[in-house]
Amino acid sequence: MNLEELCEVASTCVKCPLHESRTKVVFGEGSKNAKIMLVGEAPGKKEDETGRPFIGMAGRILSEIIEEAGMDRSDIYITSIVKCRPENNRKPKKLEYTTCIDLYLNKQIELIDPDIVGLLGNSAAYALIGKKNIKQIHGNTYKLNGRKYMALFHPAAALYSRVLLPQLKKDMVILKKAIEK
Ligand code: URA
């Protein structure tokens, strides 16, 4: 199955309770040949309405940081650990993210085969590499099952705490350098 076919399957997914409250499935977007994949937590209101990842306030910060690091957002593939919005923006539950990762995210990573996967925030870092405490692990790279990961703050955290913004910017530069090696 290719990425388009997988997206088609996901668009009518009812494999976890999140489908009940979603408007649109937010599968992901960006280059199929991306060297960097960024994985967030879950779609928010704007994303749910449009079906596009990171287009709200956090998305604006993310785009700004990507550009400041000297990259083009369209060269990166951006998605989240769950593709449907949890009601009231609550955190996705274990059953929801394990189901979604198993059905979609792992296959997206396999198909795109990026050099590195940037994990945005605690939820993505815990779900994919089992690491807690983003404050301690951000900026670090990890190798798991032959795949390289790096943890970064979630752009929404940088939105609420401006001290994290410079840190997130620095980490995005580290992420860029990791693919230049
Ligand atoms: N936050 C996320 O983690 N993912 C999105 O798609 C939007 C906001």
Side-chain angles (χ1 to χ4, degrees):
M1 202 183 291
N2 65 28
L3 210 54
E4 288 80 13
E5 288 163 343
L6 190 62
C7 179
E8 190 66 35
V9 173
S11 71
T12 56
C13 185
V14 290
K15 298 280 180 163
C16 94
L18 287 182
H19 80 274
E20 289 164 17
S21 55
R22 75 159 180 249
T23 312
K24 284 191 174 170
V25 171
V26 185
F27 184 70
E29 70 180 22
S31 169
K32 276 189 265 183
N33 306 311
K35 290 187 174 171
I36 295 177
M37 245 179 109
L38 291 176
V39 180
E41 179 179 287
K45 190 168 185 291
K46 281 238 168 80
E47 291 79 12
D48 176 68
E49 284 164 7
T50 58
R52 295 186 54 209
F54 282 100
I55 56 150
M57 298 267 272
R60 215 176 315 147
I61 293 212
L62 184 63
S63 299
E64 189 185 302
I65 290 160
I66 290 170
E67 274 168 36
E68 273 186 37
M71 298 184 284
D72 210 328
R73 179 170 159 148
S74 61
D75 291 334
I76 293 174
Y77 191 89
I78 301 175
T79 188
S80 294
I81 54 168
V82 295
K83 315 302 192 206
C84 297
R85 183 191 183 206
E87 71 280 3
N88 301 317
N89 293 349
R90 67 162 170 79
K91 288 200 180 302
K93 294 178 183 166
K94 188 159 194 168
L95 172 81
E96 295 160 352
Y97 68 73
T98 52
T99 303
C100 205
I101 289 171
D102 196 40
L103 285 172
Y104 305 114
L105 183 59
N106 280 341
K107 290 178 184 152
Q108 285 172 297
I109 295 174
E110 217 174 279
L111 286 164
I112 294 163
D113 194 23
D115 291 351
I116 193 162
V117 180
L119 304 168
L120 302 173
N122 271 315
S123 296
Y126 185 66
L128 283 171
I129 58 169
K131 299 276 180 202
K132 288 183 177 168
N133 202 343
I134 197 75
K135 286 204 165 124
Q136 281 175 9
I137 65 161
H138 75 93
N140 295 348
T141 52
Y142 297 91
K143 199 117 187 227
L144 197 71
N145 302 322
R147 179 77 55 199
K148 216 161 143 192
Y149 295 90
M150 182 181 151
L152 298 88
F153 286 111
H154 193 286
L159 193 70
Y160 298 120
S161 161
R162 285 272 152 182
V163 292
L164 297 184
L165 188 62
Q167 208 53 68
L168 176 55
K169 286 184 181 177
K170 264 194 210 161
D171 288 345
M172 193 59 78
V173 173
I174 296 174
L175 189 67
K176 185 187 174 215
K177 287 195 177 138
I179 61 160
E180 287 166 351
K181 275 182 196 155

